[in-house]
């Protein structure tokens, strides 16, 4: 019997089969879950193609987390495929190029606010939109990149991740009384499409493996995906507001 046997999940952020969210969805299915994916715009067609590469082809619902109408319609769209949810995976992030690389001191509020809305506020928006579907004991799991430090080239996305992590703690406080947990997985750098959009991302590739006590492979998304699956299981019934680091140990060492 799998860790997620009989559970129903919504997984956001699947764009390619290299996406971390794709591997979360794949492992979740292998562990017995029914999975619904979300996407929007031009990339939705790509997600629909990639969804057929899962062990069991998954339906894809439309969701733009910056669109109030989409958020309001989400529960109904998901109900067309499953009657309730036991877990939601937030794997959504975006920041305009001007806010990263060397742009921290020059980025304007319009671009910064976009990064904060899509990469931080969207966790609250997604949780609120799906709460009507949530069964008692459900779990919201988000993917983050350790925001306790200032990293090179990450710029305002790092600030957005700090807000994202704080949002998770407040969601844990607010949703706990209705039996919903909210936790994050702080993954080390993985070579995904999103990562490639970060100017200078390659600086992390050698730095991380050099510093990680357990070593680190930027081409391996499986360890953080496994952590997401575990947090959605019944094995963490009293864990909420937590950040689980899956980074080879880099967060714990100085040099």
């Amino acid at each position: 019997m799998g860790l997620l046997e009989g559970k129903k999940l919504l997984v956001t952020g699947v764009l390619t089969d290299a996406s971390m969210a794709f591997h979360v969805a794949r492992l979740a299915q292998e562990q017995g879950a029914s999975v619904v994916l979300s996407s929007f715009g031009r990339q939705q067609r790509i997600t629909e193609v990639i969804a057929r590469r899962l062990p069991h082809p998954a339906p894809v619902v439309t969701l733009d987390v910056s669109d109030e109408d989409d958020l309001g319609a989400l529960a109904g769209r998901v109900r067309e495929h499953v009657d309730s949810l036991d877990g939601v995976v937030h794997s959504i992030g975006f920041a305009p190029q001007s806010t990263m690389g060397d742009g921290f001191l020059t980025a304007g509020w319009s671009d910064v606010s976009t990064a904060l809305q899509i990469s931080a506020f969207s966790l609250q928006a997604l949780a609120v939109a799906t709460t009507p579907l949530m069964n008692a004991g459900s779990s919201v799991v988000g993917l983050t990149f350790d925001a306790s430090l200032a990293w090179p080239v990450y710029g305002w996305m790092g600030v957005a991740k700090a807000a994202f992590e704080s949002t998770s703690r407040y969601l844990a406080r607010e949703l706990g009384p209705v039996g919903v947990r909210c936790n994050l997985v702080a993954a080390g750098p993985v070579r995904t499409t999103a990562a490639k959009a970060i100017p200078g991302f390659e600086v992390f590739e050698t730095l991380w493996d050099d510093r990680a006590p357990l070593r680190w492979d930027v081409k391996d998304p499986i360890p953080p995906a496994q952590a997401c699956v575990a947090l959605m299981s019944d094995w963490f019934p009293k864990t909420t507001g937590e950040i689980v680091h899956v980074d080879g140990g880099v967060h714990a060492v100085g040099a």
Side-chain angles (χ1 to χ4, degrees):
M1 183 173 177
L3 276 178
L4 301 181
E5 195 68 37
K7 294 192 180 295
K8 292 157 282 189
L9 312 178
L10 173 66
V11 179
T12 67
V14 173
L15 180 57
T16 73
D17 53 10
S19 302
M20 210 174 301
F22 174 86
H23 293 282
V24 175
R26 178 180 62 79
L27 290 171
Q29 286 187 341
E30 291 173 357
Q31 291 298 317
S34 298
V35 173
V36 177
L37 307 180
S38 76
S39 190
F40 76 101
R42 289 180 297 177
Q43 66 190 40
Q44 182 160 341
R45 179 57 186 155
I46 300 172
T47 302
E48 290 167 350
V49 171
I50 296 301
R52 295 198 287 269
R53 300 182 186 177
L54 290 167
H56 308 285
V60 182
V61 299
T62 299
L63 173 64
D64 176 352
V65 290
S66 67
D67 187 313
E68 292 292 336
D69 291 337
D70 267 7
L71 288 163
L74 180 60
R77 291 170 180 170
V78 171
R79 280 196 185 99
E80 294 176 7
H81 305 285
V82 293
D83 58 0
S84 62
L85 288 173
D86 300 290
V88 174
V89 178
H90 182 290
S91 182
I92 299 167
F94 171 76
Q97 290 284 305
S98 67
T99 65
M100 296 186 289
D102 297 326
F104 187 80
L105 297 179
T106 56
W109 171 243
S110 176
D111 285 349
V112 170
S113 64
T114 296
L116 291 171
Q117 180 183 15
I118 304 302
S119 304
F121 179 76
S122 62
L123 180 62
Q124 182 264 14
L126 181 62
V128 170
T130 54
T131 294
L133 295 171
M134 293 283 203
N135 296 314
S138 294
S139 178
V140 177
V141 177
L143 284 157
T144 189
F145 186 73
D146 187 4
S148 64
L149 300 170
W151 296 101
V153 309
Y154 212 41
W156 283 100
M157 181 59 95
V159 177
K161 286 299 186 184
F164 182 73
E165 293 175 7
S166 183
T167 299
S168 177
R169 289 188 287 270
Y170 277 94
L171 283 173
R173 176 185 174 87
E174 298 295 330
L175 298 181
V178 296
V180 176
R181 296 167 285 141
C182 188
N183 296 288
L184 303 181
V185 173
V190 176
R191 198 180 293 167
T192 61
T193 300
K196 292 175 184 176
I198 299 172
F201 174 79
E202 60 275 3
V203 72
F204 292 110
E205 299 202 6
T206 54
L207 178 150
W208 219 268
D209 191 45
D210 288 343
R211 290 185 59 195
L214 293 176
R215 316 309 302 169
W216 188 256
D217 182 355
V218 296
K219 300 186 293 295
D220 184 8
I222 304 303
Q226 289 173 318
C228 292
V229 168
L231 285 169
M232 287 186 291
S233 77
D234 295 330
W235 283 92
F236 288 87
K238 298 299 179 184
T239 299
T240 195
E242 187 60 82
I243 301 175
V244 178
H245 289 81
V246 184
D247 63 355
V250 168
H251 74 283
V253 299

